Amino acid sequence: MRERRAFQSARRAREFEAFVAGAAGRLLHAATLLTAEPPNDNPRARRLLTLALAHTYASWDRLRGEDPYDRARQQLAGRFARGAWHQYGALGRSRPSPSPSGSVAVLARLTPQERLILVLRMYEGVAEEQTAALLGLPVERVRAICARAMTTLLHPPRGPAPALAKVVPS
């Protein structure tokens, strides 16, 4: 009995290691997009990924044919949403101040809810219906938030107008 349990535990560990080897990079990238942290300095994204993978491993034997990547992505999105709720008071009510520069600054202009929906829809390719179900929102709301986020990314707000030089008569 003990040998059988040890064999099953070793098989489970090998299966999970193979899953992590194939999925961790993409999940980390998704987490980095969600947190809008620089790719080379992303402690919040790494923490999100670690917690999502830990939960996936804990429920590994209960997946029963369910896609482990989908489960890990759901955990990642749920943990990000809960963390953003606590940080900002509500998932989509306020816009964080933009990051200094680069592609991270583009995503930082979005609310956490806009980022979450945009990453799920555009980067992960999750259908509107699945995104709505995951977040507990109507499909129309997900569609509207995604459209608003895309508009914000494609047409960023303009900065202040440049100052005009004074012309001194001679």
Side-chain angles (χ1 to χ4, degrees):
M1 183 68 150
R2 185 179 292 166
E3 291 173 7
R4 181 177 172 202
R5 198 172 296 156
F7 176 76
Q8 288 175 337
S9 181
R11 181 182 49 82
R12 176 184 188 211
R14 282 192 310 274
E15 288 174 354
F16 186 74
E17 285 174 12
F19 163 71
V20 170
R26 183 176 171 111
L27 286 167
L28 178 59
H29 187 68
T32 303
L33 293 173
L34 288 173
T35 60
E37 294 174 307
N40 55 352
D41 184 25
N42 55 2
R44 286 181 50 226
R46 289 178 183 278
R47 176 121 173 100
L48 275 174
L49 175 62
T50 300
L51 293 171
L53 288 175
H55 186 274
T56 303
Y57 182 71
S59 62
W60 191 258
D61 291 333
R62 295 184 305 273
L63 290 178
R64 308 254 190 264
E66 188 180 338
D67 182 11
Y69 185 87
D70 188 46
R71 175 68 66 95
R73 181 178 53 217
Q74 288 173 4
Q75 280 297 312
L76 195 69
R79 288 181 183 280
F80 174 76
R82 283 187 298 279
W85 182 272
H86 291 294
Q87 183 176 1
Y88 295 106
L91 189 55
R93 304 258 188 251
S94 63
R95 292 189 184 276
S97 57
S99 298
S101 65
S103 61
V104 174
V106 173
L107 289 173
R109 286 195 303 254
L110 302 176
T111 65
Q113 185 179 52
E114 289 170 338
R115 255 193 332 260
L116 178 57
I117 290 173
L118 194 72
V119 168
L120 288 173
R121 293 281 299 121
M122 300 298 142
Y123 178 72
E124 287 292 317
V126 178
E128 282 179 345
E129 295 80 12
Q130 288 177 299
T131 301
L134 178 64
L135 302 177
L137 296 171
V139 174
E140 297 78 21
R141 182 81 177 124
V142 168
R143 188 177 300 127
I145 292 169
C146 189
R148 183 176 64 227
M150 289 297 292
T151 300
T152 301
L153 291 180
L154 296 174
H155 307 288
R158 294 183 182 170
L164 298 175
K166 283 189 171 183
V167 177
V168 179
S170 35

